[in-house]
Amino acid sequence: MEQDMAGATRVVALGNDGDGIAETPAGRIFVPGAVPGDVVALGAAHGTHAPLERIITPGPDRVTPPCALFGQCGGCRVQQMALPALLAWKAGRVLDALHRAGFATIPTPATVQVAPQGRRRVDLAFRREGRRIVLGLHRRRGDVVDMTACTLLDPALFALLSPLRDMLHSLPGVHAGGDLQINMLDSGPDLLITMDGTPDANDRRILAQFSKAHGIPRISLGGTPPETLALNGPVFHHFDGVRVTPPPGAFLQPARRGEDAIREAVLAALPTKGLKAGIIELYAGCGTLSFALAAHAKVLAYEGDRAALACLKQASGGTRVLPALRDLNRQPVMAAELAKAAAVVLDPPHAGAGAQMAQIVAGKPRHVIYVSCNPAALQRDLAPLQQLGYRLEHLTVIDQFLWSTEVEAVCVLKLPGAGKNHRR
């Protein structure tokens, strides 16, 4: 049902999806492209959404979007908003989630925002259109937009896109299109391609030549497991000085500065006493935090992905990292083991810690360090800890997904009076 939204309307807030929120006589209306403080004219509303027809008076945090593709490419939702204001909004989302979880006292968060052109991981789609390849991100609920400009990507990664278009166009195994993931590892770009055809000897030859010409150590074909199509040198990355060999498509924090900020916040939160009891790390991945933690204590590192666990095992020799394979939702680490740890560190997936959280609640470890990438999951997972009496000791909010609605947080929790059996 359409509603007439004629007249000047003030935008009062930003919604969780990055749309402006206007309070109107018809109720709350979401306005894509609007910024808090804008006075706008709206088009006819469809349900709870209305298009932005015209900006009458721009809000104080409105800026000119820096990318020429903004509004077309789906990679950035809020480039019309100044970065400091966007960081404050993201911090507010985390604070709101913690308030909803029941925490009455929340420390003022430390905040970190990465610089533009620092993104070293990207998932792209590609499609054949006539005699060319379109390579980029999907527009909002639409087709792929050719990424001819980008204010997010590392310049070395962006420079690879143009030759990639030519190479993908020449592949016999690409019929209509596919998907491409690129990780900028320390050894160079690591490519994982999914195509709609079956690669033959010609595809492999083309990929091998491309790999050699552009200094790409490895190109893999998506699948279970992925298949190496071209290998042009060693594949490696470093976590806290330890060299690892990530599997194709491995999880990598999107920005190096973001990864550093998470690691710094986690290490600063470790207890100063009782570390002989060891650290339990959940969702360890390839060792993003494991080796840094191992500089302070023995680390029992649990990971459910076999390829990531194999990477972690291969690199853990001579360190205090003890990797263990465990599907933490189906077979969580039990409360009795968690209770003995000097600290429990977890960096769960977007959906949160699931069944593992119940065991943390039952085990009542004195120190819990929770790395979050989703305020909704953060609220759900930390609410039972708050009910047990855990205090929120420190909070760091990290914006490493610039101009998006995504936000990271490191929450440091302590249960007063617990763990007295630990050696101090």
Side-chain angles (χ1 to χ4, degrees):
M1 178 179 177
E2 292 190 359
Q3 302 176 49
D4 185 7
M5 291 286 117
T9 304
R10 181 175 293 277
V11 178
V12 297
L14 202 65
N16 288 342
D17 290 333
D19 295 334
I21 299 175
E23 299 289 353
T24 74
R28 176 174 288 189
I29 296 293
F30 293 91
V31 187
V35 169
D38 283 349
V39 178
V40 299
L42 302 179
H46 296 267
T48 59
H49 288 72
L52 174 58
E53 292 280 314
R54 181 168 55 93
I55 300 168
I56 299 171
T57 305
D61 296 318
R62 174 170 285 280
V63 297
T64 300
C67 182
L69 292 180
F70 178 69
Q72 304 173 52
C73 171
C76 295
R77 295 286 297 275
V78 279
Q79 275 202 350
Q80 76 280 16
M81 189 168 175
L83 283 175
L86 190 56
L87 177 60
W89 173 71
K90 291 187 179 188
R93 288 189 65 204
V94 174
L95 292 171
D96 182 64
L98 292 169
H99 279 300
R100 289 175 182 271
F103 292 97
T105 302
I106 301 175
T108 301
T111 56
V112 176
Q113 190 170 53
V114 305
Q117 296 185 311
R119 183 84 179 248
R120 58 180 179 171
R121 184 191 89 205
V122 67
D123 295 307
L124 302 170
F126 59 92
R127 299 289 181 268
R128 286 197 185 275
E129 289 190 1
R131 297 187 176 184
R132 70 184 187 121
I133 286 283
V134 172
L135 173 65
L137 299 170
H138 288 273
R139 70 178 78 242
R140 196 174 181 182
R141 294 186 290 273
D143 297 329
V144 181
V145 175
D146 205 26
M147 191 178 281
T148 54
C150 187
T151 53
L152 284 176
L153 295 185
D154 180 300
L157 197 162
F158 180 74
L160 191 59
L161 300 189
S162 182
L164 270 169
R165 290 183 182 90
D166 295 335
M167 184 274 290
L168 291 168
H169 184 267
S170 70
L171 286 179
V174 173
H175 301 158
D179 299 292
L180 172 65
Q181 182 187 96
I182 309 174
N183 274 339
M184 289 295 287
L185 304 178
D186 290 341
S187 56
D190 190 39
L191 275 59
L192 180 64
I193 298 176
T194 302
M195 58 183 78
D196 56 351
T198 302
D200 60 14
N202 284 329
D203 292 280
R204 296 172 188 273
R205 175 183 55 80
I206 292 168
L207 289 167
Q209 291 173 346
F210 183 81
S211 171
K212 186 175 182 179
H214 294 277
I216 299 171
R218 179 176 65 189
I219 302 177
S220 305
L221 179 69
T224 307
E227 177 189 355
T228 299
L229 296 179
L231 191 63
N232 186 49
V235 178
F236 60 87
H237 198 66
H238 293 90
F239 293 125
D240 210 57
V242 177
R243 177 164 157 159
V244 304
T245 302
F251 172 78
L252 187 69
Q253 291 290 351
R256 187 176 295 275
R257 177 67 188 106
E259 180 184 291
D260 290 346
I262 292 172
R263 183 179 63 252
E264 290 161 8
V266 168
L267 294 181
L270 291 176
T272 57
K273 297 179 181 180
L275 283 172
K276 287 185 179 180
I279 297 167
I280 291 180
E281 183 190 10
L282 308 172
Y283 312 98
C286 294
T288 306
L289 297 172
S290 309
F291 301 108
L293 290 169
H296 299 266
K298 175 184 68 178
V299 178
L300 187 53
Y302 288 98
E303 171 55 42
D305 182 85
R306 291 182 180 274
L309 194 279
C311 167
L312 185 58
K313 273 188 173 180
Q314 186 180 39
S316 62
T319 74
R320 290 194 286 180
V321 176
L322 305 173
L325 181 67
R326 188 77 71 93
D327 182 331
L328 295 172
N329 200 42
R330 296 185 179 183
Q331 189 186 8
V333 179
M334 300 306 288
E337 184 176 354
L338 294 165
K340 299 174 185 176
V344 173
V345 178
L346 66 158
D347 185 359
H350 193 267
Q356 181 60 72
M357 208 64 216
Q359 293 301 318
I360 295 174
V361 170
K364 302 181 182 68
R366 186 171 191 185
H367 298 276
V368 176
I369 306 170
Y370 185 112
V371 182
S372 165
C373 62
N374 178 1
L378 177 70
Q379 174 187 333
R380 183 173 59 249
D381 284 350
L382 295 197
L385 294 183
Q386 187 278 330
Q387 292 167 10
L388 278 177
Y390 277 84
R391 291 199 310 248
L392 189 59
E393 299 278 301
H394 193 75
L395 172 64
T396 303
V397 174
I398 301 158
D399 181 12
Q400 60 173 336
F401 292 91
L402 290 184
W403 297 302
S404 79
T405 60
E406 303 296 327
V407 59
E408 310 262 347
V410 179
C411 298
V412 180
L413 300 113
K414 182 178 179 181
L415 184 61
K420 291 182 179 179
N421 58 316
H422 292 165
R423 291 181 61 187
R424 295 285 182 246

